[in-house]
Amino acid sequence: MRGRRARAAATVLAACLPLTGCWNAIPLGHRALIQILAVDPAGGRDLRWTFFQASAAALSEMASGGGTSGPGSTASDQVTPVSVRAPTLADAYRRAQAITSRDLYLGQLQQVVLSERLTPAQLRLAIDSLAHTAELDQSQDLFAAPAGAAATILRPDPQELFPAAYLDHVANCPTCTTVSMTVSLMEAFVRTRVGWGTLVLPEVQPSPLGLSVRGAAVYAGGRLVARLGEEQAALLGLLRGLVTKTALSFAVPGVGRCSVRSVSARSHVHAEWRGGRVLAQVRVDLTGDILSVEPDLGRPFVALARPVNAALAREVAGRGARLLAPLLARGADPLGFGHVLWDGDPSAAPSPSAWRQGLGRAQVRITVRSDLRSEGVVR
């Protein structure tokens, strides 16, 4: 009888457990919700890990509908940086937790900003550590910063209440930027683990209006091989089919100079590995609107459509070939030929050294088709 009562008591206790709520729940006011993580070199084997959380004052202001963070406010007014020097993310987490009064929580992390001064080993360490952090779903967007990553985030930014909001718009709003070359933590982890992996990270830079994302950083095997300016990044975006609304200006033989806007692209890549080299075809379909043709001769669009479309196709193909050649020679694969060839069967991939040599000897044919729109007389 006593044994049955004991079992019954245990059963009742087990049944009551789900009714008690989460025993390890932490009130929101006790948590430091990290939105951005910046990683900079710190000398030797150490890295500078900076965890950015929304400041208590900014959260209070947002909740009350206040408006004190106007033009001229700085990110330091909006976020609280917790910066520590440590060799690994685990050590950084422990040291950062020791100096903050709240529970350091990475489950709300949205963006990771990596300094371009990181060595290949440091870059892989940071990405691998994050990819193995249980709180993260690996959907976080990665950015590169040419100078200090943390210092870039802390520059004046009157556009958004939190710096994370600006970077989130760039990553997830299709029309908030001209080129959408976002890279998730999962993608970065895979690309730095395979011999044919190349990362093209959007580059965060300061601007008169605060943060900006202009240009891109190209990594091969964790090694920074090139920095692309704004025009080059837009061109690469066209070749990759990632442009939503860029603008171009080009010469049209026998007509004049043409300007087009709202240019978007769709891209298809076909690649082969033959004789120890890459043979690839890239087909790009462009659409857009003609803004003007100078000099103004009052001609209707139907009379100019063919030469203008042909000139734009030649321009993009020529610029694309000139951009792509030096990147391939440095062992970078920004159009993802290796992704097409080897992701389905990695066991068939060549060695990393053979892959780099094959890229340097690549033959790539770029075909561009343009279908511009306009109405009435082109001015």
Side-chain angles (χ1 to χ4, degrees):
M1 179 67 70
R2 183 177 303 170
R4 287 199 295 272
R5 283 199 299 266
R7 286 194 296 272
T11 302
V12 172
L13 178 60
C16 291
L17 287 179
L19 306 179
T20 60
C22 296
W23 286 13
N24 63 344
I26 299 175
L28 187 60
H30 291 177
R31 272 194 156 160
L33 302 179
I34 304 303
Q35 295 181 309
I36 301 178
L37 172 64
V39 186
D40 291 288
R45 297 178 59 251
D46 284 349
L47 298 175
R48 174 65 62 178
W49 307 80
T50 305
F51 304 88
F52 289 93
Q53 61 172 311
S55 69
L59 287 173
S60 175
E61 175 187 326
M62 184 174 64
S64 64
T68 59
S69 293
S73 67
T74 64
S76 59
D77 300 323
Q78 304 165 4
V79 298
T80 300
V82 181
S83 183
V84 296
R85 176 172 174 166
T88 66
L89 177 60
D91 290 328
Y93 183 91
R94 174 176 54 81
R95 295 175 186 179
Q97 184 62 78
I99 60 176
T100 180
S101 63
R102 300 185 179 191
D103 173 63
L104 198 67
Y105 183 61
L106 299 179
Q108 296 295 322
L109 185 66
Q110 298 175 25
Q111 295 94 19
V112 178
V113 183
L114 302 168
S115 170
E116 294 174 11
R117 298 172 182 170
L118 295 173
T119 66
Q122 290 173 330
L123 180 79
R124 286 192 294 267
L125 171 65
I127 292 175
D128 289 2
S129 297
L130 289 165
H132 288 94
T133 299
E135 295 96 319
L136 304 183
D137 62 4
Q138 302 191 36
S139 68
Q140 288 71 26
D141 297 305
L142 268 61
F143 296 84
T152 299
I153 297 300
L154 286 170
R155 293 292 294 266
D157 183 13
Q159 297 184 80
E160 303 288 348
L161 183 58
F162 307 125
Y166 179 92
L167 296 179
D168 181 67
H169 289 174
V170 169
N172 298 310
C173 171
T175 57
C176 292
T177 183
T178 58
V179 186
S180 182
M181 290 194 291
T182 56
V183 177
S184 71
L185 175 59
M186 170 59 79
E187 292 171 322
F189 175 73
V190 172
R191 294 290 163 244
T192 53
R193 288 259 172 158
V194 296
W196 59 90
T198 291
L199 288 179
V200 182
L201 299 184
E203 196 173 67
V204 183
Q205 301 182 28
S207 77
L209 288 179
L211 294 180
S212 67
V213 176
R214 296 175 295 173
V218 181
Y219 291 85
R223 175 175 52 93
L224 179 65
V225 297
R227 291 184 60 214
L228 305 183
E230 187 175 1
E231 298 292 333
Q232 292 177 311
L235 179 59
L236 182 59
L238 287 173
L239 297 181
R240 296 178 63 187
L242 301 176
V243 164
T244 56
K245 58 173 186 180
T246 194
L248 294 168
S249 180
F250 53 95
V252 182
V255 175
R257 189 149 195 90
C258 181
S259 297
V260 296
R261 68 179 184 90
S262 301
V263 179
S264 61
R266 296 179 64 184
S267 176
H268 176 76
V269 174
H270 174 78
E272 297 180 20
W273 179 254
R274 189 186 306 168
R277 68 193 309 178
V278 174
L279 304 179
Q281 296 181 12
V282 181
R283 188 181 73 245
V284 182
D285 294 321
L286 302 178
T287 60
D289 299 321
I290 294 182
L291 187 62
S292 66
V293 176
E294 300 294 342
D296 177 15
L297 300 179
R299 287 169 290 187
F301 171 70
V302 291
L304 299 176
R306 180 171 294 181
V308 168
N309 278 311
L312 176 58
R314 286 194 303 269
E315 187 75 12
V316 172
R319 289 188 195 179
R322 292 190 293 272
L323 171 67
L324 192 59
L327 295 178
L328 294 173
R330 297 170 193 165
D333 178 21
L335 298 188
F337 301 141
H339 168 74
V340 173
L341 287 167
W342 314 122
D343 277 9
D345 184 9
S347 65
S351 67
S353 60
W355 173 248
R356 288 193 297 270
Q357 293 175 6
L359 281 178
R361 302 169 54 232
Q363 289 185 350
V364 182
R365 180 181 180 184
I366 301 175
T367 304
V368 181
R369 187 178 69 88
S370 173
D371 184 18
L372 299 175
R373 302 174 297 267
S374 185
E375 295 181 0
V377 175
V378 177
R379 300 186 179 278

